């Protein structure tokens, strides 16, 4: 739990388990060493944390386990630079620092009673996973749930241990897609925005939540607009270079909005109102 | 507030010496062609004339500061596993900043709104802020410079906001007014005498300095004007044409508060540090993917000016995040002038 007295001081946590998701994505399940703090810890779907490998530094990652499953906090890390490379070297029993929860969550209360369309690309599935699982754990509160998850190739799909459950459940509608044909692949082939247009979910009483690489988000937004989703019905999360994560260091602003405290979740309507600096 | 006191110039070293017995006293001294704040020691020659090259920003917000130390070890029961201890240090040294100009102290009022926020107040900053007393010196006509524009941003050469004691140069010495309880405590010293007889002279020194600054243009529309110019990259390329991205304007600015966080390992232990950082640098917003939302110096200068004259006022009741000290203008190697940029944006919005 981020200490209100010293928000820069991470909580020491132990890595319980790691999962090599893809060649460059690794999942970490961690628990705070201070059991009382772990028991008191709360967060909401979409909030993030700073994971630190002392000696190297800190980086921002979404807490991608849902608050309904508090045995551990899960982070999935794509190798991108120094901190992420260091984290990839960790295994069960190793210590990390955690500053969490930071940022604003998805408006999951306002989404109650609505149909939900998740569109995730690559590591962008991580922020969606927390909300997706939260909704599955509160299934009766939400209408139809559609999940469209795409990656470049079958080997690039994270959370592969969960995919059979997601595709076989009858109370959700899951579509997996990859960019190009691959041997043994039994699901869709095609770029996410095109598959989305094919699925053509109705915007009526629905919200769409999308996250992925910038180019995928751009074309997914276009597809959602074609399907007549209003700007207010579309949510995404933004990535900015962050340091403090608490609105002080001044790094992550877009005009007067600070992504670390006002985001990372924004509706498309909110995004359009921000200065054009993504 | 308390009555006006007076201190003769020749008594000043005695006062500084007695203050320095109880706490760190930072005074402006000449060093390497500039004037910077350094701890006072008997015999040192403070420079109380023109404004210091570097503001007293580091008194509360050090250029480089330890957030915590960490120690790794081995688990006694399971030597294959590691341990990790984090040891924060937030204490601050009692400090008197003596002889800054009012604008230098006022800069911290801009910091306060960010560092003393409700949700995540910054303990390092707050402790240092509380441990620091500002004895500032009102400007006289002798030190009003053509780069000064404190009166544009709602301040003035004798603005006591942010100061605990305001000194004003008068014949033979200085008047001293306590503006806070912390300041009043410093004026208890026997080297100060009653200054009632000097009060009128001090008032006219202040009035003359204000007069020397002249009229201030109306920049109240700058928040909207800068936003209106946001997508006009031709405008920003023009404004930033000369800039060489050295960052001097931010490092010398009393209101620039951005920082980075880095680790300094030494074997199995080390420290996590924070240090000043600057939005004028390419790396500031560079993302891990290689994407940079502010790829050119035009984008970066737009953010610096936009932050001070638009985004910050939007979040903080219209308060401009610039104290008008003019350091960025004076110290810029290529004479980029923030006043011109703001005025150009205001004029551009008027069409
Ligand atoms: C809200 C949010 C949520 C996120 N969630 C996730 C998530 O769930 N999973 C995930 O994998 N990622 C996530 N990210 C992205 C993640 O934070 C970054 O990938 C991570 O910070 C990279 O850290 P790093 O230390 O490994 O990279 P760094 O080593 O810091 O390098 C980052 C990049 O900056 C450049 N760079 C750094 N320093 C310099 C320098 N001095 N000079 C020049 N270039 C330099 C490098 O070239 C590199 O490309 C999220 C980001 C945000 C903001
Ligand atoms: S922006 Fe320039 S004039 Fe304004 S406070 Fe900073 S250094 Fe001084
Ligand atoms: S001091 Fe001048 S040249 Fe250097 S970054 Fe600032 S505006 Fe650019
Ligand atoms: S990360 Fe420091 S202000 Fe957002």
């Amino acid at each position: 739990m981020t200490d209100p007295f010293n928000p820069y001081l991470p909580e020491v946590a132990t890595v319980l388990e790691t999962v090599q998701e893809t060649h460059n994505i690794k999942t970490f399940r961690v628990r705070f060493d201070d059991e009382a703090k772990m028991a008191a810890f709360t967060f909401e779907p979409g909030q993030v944390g700073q994971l630190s490998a002392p000696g190297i530094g800190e980086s921002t990652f979404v807490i991608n386990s849902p608050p309904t499953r508090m045995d551990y906090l899960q982070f999935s890390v794509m190798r991108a630079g120094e901190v992420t490379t260091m984290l990839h070297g960790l295994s069960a029993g190793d210590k990390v620092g955690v500053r969490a929860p930071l940022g604003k969550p998805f408006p999951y209360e306002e989404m109650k009673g609505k149909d939900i369309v998740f569109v995730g690309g690559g590591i962008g599935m991580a922020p969606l996973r927390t909300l997706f699982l939260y909704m599955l754990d509160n299934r009766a509160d939400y209408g139809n749930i559609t999940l469209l998850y795409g990656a470049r190739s079958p080997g690039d799909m994270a959370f592969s241990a969960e995919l059979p459950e997601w595709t076989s459940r009858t109370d959700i509608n899951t579509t997996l897609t990859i960019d190009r044909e691959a041997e043994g692949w039994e699901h869709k082939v095609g770029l996410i925005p095109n598959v989305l247009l094919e699925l053509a979910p109705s915007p009526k009483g629905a919200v769409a939540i999308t996250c992925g690489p910038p180019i995928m988000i751009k074309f997914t937004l276009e597809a959602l607009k074609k399907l007549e989703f209003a700007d207010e019905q579309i949510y995404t999360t933004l990535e900015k270079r962050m340091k403090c994560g608490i609105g002080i260091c001044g790094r992550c602003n877009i005009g007067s909005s600070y992504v670390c405290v006002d985001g990372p979740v924004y509706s498309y309507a909110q995004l359009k109102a921000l200065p054009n600096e993504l | 507030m308390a009555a006006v006191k007076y201190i003769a110039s020749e008594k000043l070293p005695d006062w500084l010496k007695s203050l320095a017995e109880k706490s760190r006293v930072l005074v402006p001294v000449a060093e390497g062609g500039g004037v910077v704040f350094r701890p006072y020691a008997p015999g040192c020659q403070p420079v109380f004339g023109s404004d210091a090259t570097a503001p007293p920003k580091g008194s509360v917000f050090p250029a480089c500061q330890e957030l915590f130390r960490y120690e790794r070890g081995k688990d006694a029961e399971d030597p294959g596993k590691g341990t990790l201890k984090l040891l924060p240090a937030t204490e601050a040294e009692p400090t008197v900043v003596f002889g800054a100009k009012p604008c230098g102290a006022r800069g911290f009022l801009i910091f306060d709104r960010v560092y003393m926020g409700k949700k995540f107040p910054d303990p390092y900053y707050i402790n240092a802020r509380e441990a620091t007393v500002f004895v500032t010196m009102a400007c006289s006509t002798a030190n009003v410079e053509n780069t000064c524009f404190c009166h544009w941003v709602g301040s003035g050469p004798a603005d006591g906001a942010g100061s605990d004691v305001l000194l004003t140069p008068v014949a033979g010495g200085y008047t001293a007014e306590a503006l806070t309880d912390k300041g009043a405590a410093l004026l208890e010293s026997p080297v100060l005498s009653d200054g009632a007889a000097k009060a009128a002279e001090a008032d006219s020194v202040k009035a003359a300095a204000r007069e020397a600054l002249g009229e201030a243009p109306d920049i109240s529309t700058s928040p909207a004007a800068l936003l209106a110019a946001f997508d006009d990259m031709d405008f920003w390329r023009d404004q930033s044409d000369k800039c060489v991205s050295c960052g001097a304007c931010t490092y010398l600015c009393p209101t620039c508060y951005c920082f980075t966080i880095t680790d300094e390992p030494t074997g199995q232990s080390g420290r996590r540090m924070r240090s000043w950082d600057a939005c004028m640098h390419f790396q500031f917003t560079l993302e891990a993917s290689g994407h940079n939302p502010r790829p050119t110096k035009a984008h970066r200068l737009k953010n610096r000016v936009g932050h001070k004259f638009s985004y910050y006022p939007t979040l903080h009741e219209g308060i401009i995040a610039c104290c008008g000290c003019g350091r960025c203008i004076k110290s810029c190697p290529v004479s980029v002038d923030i006043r011109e940029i703001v005025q150009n944006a205001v004029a551009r919005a008027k069409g």
Side-chain angles (χ1 to χ4, degrees):
Chain A
M1 192 174 337
T2 298
D3 184 350
F5 166 68
N6 191 338
Y8 300 101
L9 192 66
E11 213 38 64
V12 174
T14 300
V15 177
L16 303 179
E17 200 182 340
T18 67
V19 181
Q20 190 72 45
E21 303 276 5
T22 71
H23 73 282
N24 65 355
I25 302 174
K26 196 164 173 179
T27 287
F28 299 87
R29 300 188 178 132
V30 311
R31 272 187 84 83
F32 299 158
D33 286 5
D34 184 333
E35 275 304 326
K37 286 196 173 152
M38 189 69 216
F41 184 77
T42 57
F43 75 101
E44 296 175 275
Q47 288 190 290
V48 303
Q50 291 272 1
L51 264 192
S52 57
I56 305 288
E58 269 188 321
S59 281
T60 320
F61 305 95
V62 70
I63 307 171
N64 73 61
S65 49
T68 40
R69 306 181 191 182
M70 290 296 279
D71 300 339
Y72 51 75
L73 300 178
Q74 175 167 314
F75 299 91
S76 299
V77 175
M78 189 165 95
R79 201 168 50 231
E82 286 188 31
V83 173
T84 49
T85 298
M86 167 77 184
L87 290 172
H88 271 238
L90 299 178
S91 48
D94 285 336
K95 303 289 181 191
V96 288
V98 179
R99 291 196 290 134
L102 303 172
K104 285 217 170 76
F106 290 105
Y108 57 101
E109 292 288 344
E110 287 164 39
M111 291 176 181
K112 277 188 178 161
K114 296 188 175 160
D115 289 348
I116 314 288
V117 181
F118 288 101
V119 187
I123 186 69
M125 189 57 217
L128 302 190
R129 181 184 185 267
T130 174
L131 184 61
F132 178 65
L133 294 185
Y134 175 84
M135 287 179 169
L136 294 188
D137 290 347
N138 293 280
R139 186 65 192 87
D141 288 344
Y142 299 92
N144 294 328
I145 297 182
T146 303
L147 168 67
L148 169 58
Y149 173 32
R152 229 176 290 163
S153 72
D156 289 308
M157 300 212 97
F159 314 116
S160 53
E162 293 160 276
L163 298 180
E165 190 209 329
W166 295 354
T167 48
S168 63
R169 271 178 80 138
T170 51
D171 60 342
I172 52 175
N173 186 353
T174 302
T175 305
L176 305 179
T177 185
I178 54 170
D179 289 0
R180 244 170 279 131
E181 294 283 359
E183 227 179 272
W185 180 252
E186 291 163 356
H187 304 274
K188 276 253 170 224
V189 175
L191 295 175
I192 294 166
N194 299 341
V195 178
L196 178 62
L197 285 173
E198 255 177 65
L199 292 175
S202 162
K204 201 161 166 279
V207 293
I209 304 136
T210 182
C211 191
I215 187 83
M216 172 232 137
I217 295 195
K218 181 169 177 270
F219 288 109
T220 298
L221 288 173
E222 280 177 20
L224 288 168
K225 295 309 290 178
K226 263 193 211 153
L227 296 170
E228 296 185 347
F229 277 76
D231 297 346
E232 294 76 19
Q233 290 175 286
I234 304 172
Y235 289 87
T236 188
T237 77
L238 289 188
E239 218 181 286
K240 286 273 153 210
R241 190 133 187 86
M242 290 184 185
K243 281 288 175 182
C244 72
I246 54 174
I248 300 184
C249 79
R251 190 172 302 266
C252 68
N253 76 303
I254 304 173
S256 50
S257 188
Y258 283 81
V259 176
C260 66
V261 289
D262 302 318
V265 173
Y266 289 88
S267 73
Y268 190 37
Q270 288 169 324
L271 277 190
K272 277 188 162 171
L274 293 180
N276 173 24
E277 198 179 52
L278 299 185
Chain B
M1 270 299 154
V4 179
K5 297 242 183 167
Y6 173 75
I7 181 159
S9 295
E10 67 272 14
K11 293 271 181 66
L12 213 51
D14 293 341
W15 192 24
L16 286 167
K17 192 163 158 272
S18 70
L19 293 173
E21 279 161 11
K22 283 175 236 127
S23 64
R24 175 174 71 141
V25 178
L26 299 175
V27 289
V29 294
E31 195 179 287
V35 175
V36 293
F37 284 84
R38 291 284 180 254
Y40 176 83
C44 114
Q45 294 293 325
V47 178
F48 293 131
S50 60
D51 199 3
T53 318
K57 178 159 77 172
S59 59
V60 174
F61 182 59
C64 198
Q65 176 172 34
E66 183 181 306
L67 294 175
F68 58 81
R69 306 189 139 264
Y70 67 85
E71 281 170 15
R72 290 175 200 286
K74 283 204 190 303
D75 191 328
E77 265 137 54
D78 182 356
K81 299 293 167 221
T83 60
L84 175 62
K85 247 195 268 167
L86 305 177
L87 314 153
T90 59
E91 305 91 65
E93 193 181 355
T95 298
V96 177
V97 176
F98 196 104
K101 298 298 175 203
C103 53
R106 193 172 173 273
F108 288 110
L109 300 184
I110 307 297
F111 273 69
D112 288 352
R113 290 171 165 270
V114 176
Y115 281 75
M116 295 184 173
K118 285 197 192 76
K119 190 153 181 225
F120 291 115
D122 188 303
Y124 304 89
Y125 177 82
I126 290 173
N127 289 352
R129 187 89 167 89
E130 280 168 1
T132 306
V133 190
F134 290 95
V135 179
T136 58
M137 189 151 323
C139 294
S140 67
T141 50
N143 29 68
V144 167
E145 298 180 56
N146 63 8
T147 45
C148 293
F149 63 107
C150 52
H151 59 313
W152 291 30
V153 296
S155 182
D159 183 355
S163 301
D164 298 289
V165 171
L166 184 68
L167 304 178
T168 306
V170 290
Y174 306 88
T175 59
E177 298 161 72
L179 305 174
T180 64
D181 292 343
K182 270 200 233 172
L186 295 193
L187 298 190
E188 293 301 309
S189 168
V191 297
L192 291 140
S193 55
D194 182 70
K198 303 275 187 180
E201 187 189 344
D203 285 345
S204 61
V205 167
K206 294 178 194 171
R210 174 61 192 86
E211 188 142 342
L213 284 170
E215 287 278 316
D218 179 12
I219 55 162
S220 60
T221 57
S222 70
L226 285 161
L227 271 191
F230 198 91
D231 289 323
D232 185 349
M233 286 315 289
D234 287 340
F235 175 82
W236 288 107
R237 268 188 290 273
D238 267 358
Q239 307 305 312
S240 63
D241 209 18
K242 298 182 285 184
C243 173
V244 294
S245 297
C246 68
C249 50
T250 61
Y251 290 107
L252 295 176
C253 175
T255 61
C256 270
Y257 57 74
C258 293
F259 62 82
T260 188
I261 301 177
T262 48
D263 285 9
E264 278 180 7
T266 23
Q268 287 296 75
S269 58
R271 340 186 262 171
R272 178 158 295 169
M273 310 294 293
R274 78 157 156 216
S275 33
W276 295 353
D277 203 352
C279 62
M280 299 302 280
H281 297 317
F282 178 80
Q283 283 84 358
F284 193 68
T285 49
L286 179 63
E287 291 165 22
S289 61
H291 170 65
N292 194 337
R294 296 185 199 134
T296 71
K297 60 186 183 175
H299 291 90
R300 299 191 287 274
L301 188 64
K302 169 170 74 173
N303 181 69
R304 175 168 149 82
V305 180
H307 179 223
K308 293 187 178 297
F309 289 85
S310 177
Y311 320 147
Y312 187 101
T314 299
L315 293 173
H316 298 287
E317 301 165 73
I319 292 167
I320 292 171
C322 163
C323 61
C325 71
R327 282 189 178 82
C328 58
I329 306 165
K330 226 182 341 180
S331 298
C332 176
V334 292
S335 306
V336 171
D337 190 329
I338 197 166
R339 293 172 298 192
E340 284 172 16
I341 301 174
V342 172
Q343 281 184 299
N344 289 346
V346 167
R348 181 193 167 281
K350 282 197 187 125

